[in-house]
Amino acid sequence: MRHNKAVNHLGRKSGHRKALLANMASSLILHKRITTTVAKAKALKSYVEPLITKSKEDTTHSRRVVFSYLKDKNAVTELFRTVAPKVADRPGGYTRVLHLGFRQGDAADMALIELVDFNEAALASAPKAAKKSTRRSRSKKAEEAAPAAEAPVAEAPAAE
C-alpha cells in the first residue's frame, strides 16, 4: 500500500529524478510550455510552483535557493526578470496541465504543462472580469447602497 507516500518516484532513483525535474523546470521557464507525460507534468507542477513563488522576492538569497534547484543560470535569470513580474499579483496556481491524449508509440497519457500568464491565446479570449467580491461580511456603506439602488424601481399604474 502507498500510505503517506506523497512523492511520485517516476521509476527513477532520487538523483536521476532530481536531475529530470530540474531540467524540465528549466525548459518550462525558458520555453513557457512543454509536452510530457501526465505523471511527469504533475510532479513538475509541485516542483516548479514553489520556485516561482520564491522568485517573487528578488534577493540574493532567493536567487541562490532557486539556483540550487534549477542549476541553470539562464533559467534563473529568465525566472526573475520575465516570469516573476508577470505573476507578482497571482496568489499561486502559476502552471496549467492540459491533457493531450495518448502517445502513438506506447500509449502513454500525454499532457501539456504551461505557465498560465504566458498563454496569449487564453488571455486574449478570456473576458476581463471585475474585481472579485470578498466572501467576508459587507461593510455598512455597501449595505446602505444596495437598498438605494433598488428604490428607483416604480410600479406601473394598474390598467382599468
Side-chain angles (χ1 to χ4, degrees), residues 57-105:
E57 184 182 353
D58 192 2
T59 61
T60 304
H61 177 66
S62 61
R63 280 183 178 264
R64 286 178 176 168
V65 169
V66 170
F67 182 77
S68 72
Y69 283 90
L70 293 181
K71 299 169 184 62
D72 184 2
K73 187 167 43 173
N74 297 329
V76 172
T77 303
E78 178 78 12
L79 178 63
F80 279 88
R81 285 192 184 158
T82 309
V83 177
K86 215 161 185 188
V87 299
D89 58 338
R90 182 180 289 274
Y94 312 111
T95 57
R96 175 186 297 130
V97 176
L98 301 170
H99 295 261
L100 296 178
F102 299 100
R103 188 162 49 196
Q104 183 70 36

Side-chain angles (χ1 to χ4, degrees), residues 26-144:
S26 297
S27 296
L28 178 64
I29 291 166
L30 291 174
H31 301 291
K32 310 301 184 266
R33 67 175 58 177
I34 56 173
T35 304
T36 183
T37 62
V38 171
K40 287 179 191 172
K42 288 179 180 179
L44 178 61
K45 183 174 184 134
S46 64
Y47 184 87
V48 78
E49 293 217 359
L51 298 180
I52 297 173
T53 302
K54 181 68 87 172
S55 73
K56 289 181 176 183
E57 184 182 353
D58 192 2
T59 61
T60 304
H61 177 66
S62 61
R63 280 183 178 264
R64 286 178 176 168
V65 169
V66 170
F67 182 77
S68 72
Y69 283 90
L70 293 181
K71 299 169 184 62
D72 184 2
K73 187 167 43 173
N74 297 329
V76 172
T77 303
E78 178 78 12
L79 178 63
F80 279 88
R81 285 192 184 158
T82 309
V83 177
K86 215 161 185 188
V87 299
D89 58 338
R90 182 180 289 274
Y94 312 111
T95 57
R96 175 186 297 130
V97 176
L98 301 170
H99 295 261
L100 296 178
F102 299 100
R103 188 162 49 196
Q104 183 70 36
D106 59 354
D109 202 3
M110 299 300 287
L112 176 89
I113 182 167
E114 64 182 1
L115 296 176
V116 172
D117 289 320
F118 289 88
N119 187 348
E120 289 81 16
L123 291 175
S125 66
K128 293 289 180 180
K131 180 136 175 96
K132 185 179 175 186
S133 62
T134 181
R135 290 172 40 183
R136 297 176 186 259
S137 62
R138 302 282 180 201
S139 66
K140 298 279 185 184
K141 292 179 182 176
E143 290 175 2
E144 293 169 5

